Amino acid sequence: MSARPDPSAATCRERQAYYAAIRPLHLSPLWEQLHALVPPQPRSLCVAAHWRYEAVRPHLMRAGEIISAAEAVRRVLVLENPGLPGLASITQSLYAGLQLILPGEVAPAHRHTQSALRFVVEGSGAYTAVNGERTTMQPGDFIITPSWTWHDHGSDADGPVVWLDGLDIPLVRFFDAGFAQNAASDQQPITRPEGHSLARYGANMAPLREASPHGATSPIFCYPYARSREALARLQRDAAVDAWDGVKLRYVNPLTGGAPMPTMATFMQLLPAGFDGKPWRQTDGAMYSVVEGHGVATVGDDEAAQRFEFAPRDQFVVPSWQRVRLQARDDCVLFSFSDRPLQQAAALWREERMGS
Ligand code: 1HN
């Protein structure tokens, strides 16, 4: 843009007086903020951040001593983006937290218009119930709570169970479209056997005469880790490894081929031992949960780059349009989620793969 001479002091005073005169009418001059409104490229307030599980776990277990799941309703430590304090946001559009449930506890049934995903981080044997069906959690499982479905959690495990919650809370807040209700009883009646939704929709087959039970949301309740891990292992062996992503797959709604939820896309990738990935950037900032392996995520531009040395169960967030590079010491498996489906619906999503 062409440089113009700075206005004189008198002109500035005149303009300030003018701005003051129009303020009571709730008018403001666009020309003072135009450049900030349409920046040349995304400049997110969200920053890259890394939560080492080793550092977080003792505090999560302490939460288990100071409050019950019943009293807390959801006993969660929110992963608050350091650039978005107080907003319960991991990125501008999404929320993330680590939820703990202890043996014998129940997190009471409620429903809300916010969609949720659960990604199991530690422990086995807790369950979540949605729509009359329960699923028992195993580490690495990806579980869906569709918008406006009753859901409660409980645990028959013999130790703590921890999962990552991902919700579209900031998005729903942005749209002022949030509704919530508590159920009359803590636990919903179970009307279907465990594994029902997977049998019905998870075998590359679908029922003949039945509408999607959750509209645009996937009818699959739990995407078991064992299946995803097996697919990645086969592809690592049998197919070329992508220089940016390693072996990366997206989870799908089998009825549409699209993302499992209208607001959130989910992914799982395997970085083979010794993987030294090329850098990329995408407009969807993403939250990562490390399932297996040790490696390094380098986020940001050269001098300002942050180096996250990650280990299993660590969580880290990558902001929109920041450069990212992934390296693996041993075989690494990473789960991630982002708001990509909405960005794609709005024709906003972009990516750049550098060094090709
Ligand atoms: C919620 O309902 C759950 O159901 C977890 O487990 C986290 C964060 C904010 C609002 C509702 C759950 C949540 C939440």
Side-chain angles (χ1 to χ4, degrees), residues 298-350:
T298 307
V299 187
D301 294 324
D302 304 325
E303 315 84 63
Q306 298 195 60
R307 230 178 99 84
F308 300 147
E309 290 189 28
F310 60 76
R313 300 173 177 165
D314 283 8
Q315 320 295 324
F316 63 91
V317 61
V318 169
S320 164
W321 213 238
Q322 285 197 13
R323 190 180 139 112
V324 191
R325 199 154 61 86
L326 298 171
Q327 293 162 299
R329 204 161 78 207
D330 36 16
D331 280 0
C332 290
V333 179
L334 308 179
F335 171 83
S336 56
F337 67 94
S338 79
D339 62 9
R340 189 174 304 182
L342 279 190
Q343 290 207 25
Q344 289 182 326
L348 289 170
W349 187 75
R350 286 197 197 189

Side-chain angles (χ1 to χ4, degrees), residues 27-65:
L27 296 170
S28 82
L30 174 62
W31 58 87
E32 290 288 343
Q33 45 174 333
L34 186 58
H35 298 308
L37 289 177
V38 285
Q41 57 178 30
R43 277 195 313 232
S44 185
L45 291 173
C46 163
V47 298
H50 176 202
W51 288 265
R52 283 177 214 284
Y53 196 63
E54 191 184 81
V56 172
R57 190 180 188 280
H59 297 293
L60 199 51
M61 296 306 141
R62 179 74 184 130
E65 294 167 1

Side-chain angles (χ1 to χ4, degrees), residues 73-74 76 95 99 107 110 112 114 116 118 145 151 153 163 165 167 169:
V73 181
R74 296 296 184 261
V76 177
Y95 159 101
Q99 181 157 176
H110 67 191
H112 36 72
Q114 291 81 357
R118 327 279 170 197
T145 309
H151 56 284
H153 319 302
W163 65 82
D165 285 313
L167 286 89
I169 288 174

Side-chain angles (χ1 to χ4, degrees), residues 28-336:
S28 82
L30 174 62
W31 58 87
E32 290 288 343
Q33 45 174 333
L34 186 58
H35 298 308
L37 289 177
V38 285
Q41 57 178 30
R43 277 195 313 232
S44 185
L45 291 173
C46 163
V47 298
H50 176 202
W51 288 265
R52 283 177 214 284
Y53 196 63
E54 191 184 81
V56 172
R57 190 180 188 280
H59 297 293
L60 199 51
M61 296 306 141
R62 179 74 184 130
E65 294 167 1
I66 65 167
I67 193 162
S68 68
E71 188 186 349
V73 181
R74 296 296 184 261
R75 190 202 288 116
V76 177
L77 292 183
V78 178
L79 301 175
E80 190 177 81
N81 191 285
L84 305 166
L87 294 173
S89 300
I90 191 67
T91 64
Q92 289 280 19
S93 57
L94 299 175
Y95 159 101
L98 287 170
Q99 181 157 176
L100 167 69
I101 196 146
L102 293 170
E105 287 190 318
V106 170
H110 67 191
R111 65 177 177 175
H112 36 72
T113 48
Q114 291 81 357
S115 296
L117 66 84
R118 327 279 170 197
F119 186 72
V120 185
V121 169
E122 176 187 343
S124 300
Y127 55 82
T128 186
V130 168
N131 212 23
E133 184 177 335
R134 260 189 195 178
T135 190
T136 303
M137 298 178 171
Q138 306 291 338
D141 288 355
F142 157 51
I143 295 163
I144 293 183
T145 309
S147 173
W148 206 240
T149 51
W150 296 108
H151 56 284
D152 49 273
H153 319 302
S155 180
D156 298 328
D158 49 17
V161 177
V162 175
W163 65 82
L164 175 69
D165 285 313
L167 286 89
D168 52 11
I169 288 174
L171 272 170
V172 175
R173 183 168 60 204
F174 172 81
F175 288 118
D176 284 333
F179 295 86
Q181 283 179 338
N182 290 322
S185 57
D186 283 354
Q187 292 187 280
Q188 65 186 284
I190 299 304
T191 56
R192 274 188 279 267
E194 180 150 2
H196 180 88
S197 76
L198 200 60
R200 210 172 196 126
Y201 297 98
N204 295 320
M205 304 176 91
L208 269 66
R209 295 174 199 86
E210 197 172 294
S212 174
H214 304 298
T217 298
S218 173
I220 302 212
F221 183 15
C222 175
Y223 295 74
Y225 185 55
R227 288 201 189 182
S228 312
R229 186 68 181 84
E230 168 65 13
L232 293 176
R234 283 294 306 264
L235 293 171
Q236 176 185 16
R237 214 172 58 211
D238 303 343
V241 170
D242 182 82
W244 292 266
D245 293 335
V247 180
K248 187 168 186 175
L249 295 173
R250 62 186 178 91
Y251 290 87
V252 297
N253 173 344
L255 297 180
T256 63
M261 281 164 286
T263 50
M264 290 186 275
T266 50
F267 307 88
M268 189 169 272
Q269 72 197 109
L270 187 153
L271 312 174
F275 181 77
D276 186 13
K278 291 184 179 182
W280 45 265
R281 53 184 179 174
Q282 296 169 328
T283 52
D284 53 333
M287 181 65 188
Y288 285 79
S289 186
V290 181
V291 195
E292 296 179 33
H294 298 78
V296 181
T298 307
V299 187
D301 294 324
D302 304 325
E303 315 84 63
Q306 298 195 60
R307 230 178 99 84
F308 300 147
E309 290 189 28
F310 60 76
R313 300 173 177 165
D314 283 8
Q315 320 295 324
F316 63 91
V317 61
V318 169
S320 164
W321 213 238
Q322 285 197 13
R323 190 180 139 112
V324 191
R325 199 154 61 86
L326 298 171
Q327 293 162 299
R329 204 161 78 207
D330 36 16
D331 280 0
C332 290
V333 179
L334 308 179
F335 171 83
S336 56

